[in-house]
Amino acid sequence: MSKGRRVLASVVAGGFLGAAGFLGVTPALADGPNTDPEVVAEIQAEAWPEYSIGDENVDVRAAKHQLHYLGYELANLDNAFDESVVAQVEAFQEDQGLDVTGSLDQDTWDRLTEEAFAGGKAWVPGDEGHVVEMIQRQMNAKYQAHITVDGQYGDGTEQAVAAAQEFHDIDVDGKYGPLTFEAVVKYQDYDTLDEG
């Protein structure tokens, strides 16, 4: 991962689109299909960040958008973990047969990712909506992408996702699927990135 971290600023600034080209979705991965299995294992071995009521973070927003995508109603799709989030996380946990904790714990993140990206789902250029807005906000908050938050998966979003994939040594295809989502949410050192 360190190789990607060193080149991230220049990748984003240069509008890197991915010299490897855009590869098709495989049954194994909806994004980064040719990612080194060791990189996949490394990403999956990292712990999810855990959040509960009172927390505020772009990862909370990501979970809220995914819950909303799955049909759970939330008052606000913002960064705040409030009472409405507790209720919907508890409903999701109960529906999935998980321990009902009302917090975003390891099992809840795992199941949320499985459900939100079921059937090989990935967000790709041309997509639009609130989940794309969430992706754009993640790219801006964690990778200083400086892209417009408009809910349109256009060139800027594709380039930012490709740069994030490069940063995490994921096979670059510009698609936002479960592997990219997992790497982005688990990445917690974004406050240390150079503004450069």
Side-chain angles (χ1 to χ4, degrees):
M1 286 191 200
S2 61
K3 171 189 70 129
R5 290 189 176 127
R6 286 193 304 271
V7 300
L8 178 67
S10 63
V11 166
V12 172
F16 178 75
L17 193 55
F22 296 99
L23 304 171
V25 174
T26 67
L29 294 173
D31 56 333
N34 294 320
T35 302
D36 184 319
E38 289 183 16
V39 171
V40 174
E42 183 180 325
I43 291 168
Q44 292 174 339
E46 288 290 322
W48 292 98
E50 297 198 8
Y51 299 102
S52 58
I53 192 161
D55 289 334
E56 190 165 329
N57 190 283
V58 71
D59 297 329
V60 173
R61 179 188 292 265
K64 290 169 81 168
H65 278 270
Q66 297 296 30
L67 285 165
H68 185 70
Y69 171 73
L70 293 171
Y72 294 86
E73 295 300 321
L74 291 142
N76 296 303
L77 295 176
D78 59 13
N79 291 356
F81 200 122
D82 57 20
E83 294 284 348
S84 71
V85 182
V86 173
Q88 295 308 311
V89 168
E90 287 177 344
F92 175 78
Q93 290 168 331
E94 186 172 334
D95 290 347
Q96 296 296 317
L98 300 172
D99 289 340
V100 178
T101 64
S103 63
L104 289 166
D105 54 28
Q106 302 301 302
D107 291 338
T108 304
W109 276 116
D110 283 340
R111 191 64 58 86
L112 183 60
T113 304
E114 289 171 16
E115 292 298 312
F117 295 95
K121 173 66 180 166
W123 276 267
V124 299
D127 287 346
E128 57 185 47
H130 69 89
V131 174
V132 176
E133 177 188 322
M134 175 270 296
I135 294 166
Q136 293 168 331
R137 290 184 187 279
Q138 283 184 315
M139 296 299 107
N140 286 342
K142 293 195 172 195
Y143 306 97
Q144 301 170 2
H146 306 291
I147 54 176
T148 302
V149 177
D150 60 5
Q152 305 292 317
Y153 205 123
D155 290 345
T157 303
E158 182 179 19
Q159 291 169 5
V161 170
Q165 290 173 325
E166 176 73 14
F167 183 76
H168 293 288
D169 294 328
I170 296 170
D171 175 43
V172 175
D173 62 7
K175 298 175 182 177
Y176 189 93
L179 184 62
T180 303
F181 176 76
E182 188 167 353
V184 169
V185 171
K186 289 179 174 181
Y187 177 54
Q188 296 298 303
D189 295 330
Y190 52 96
D191 288 336
T192 65
L193 282 175
D194 293 332
E195 289 290 338

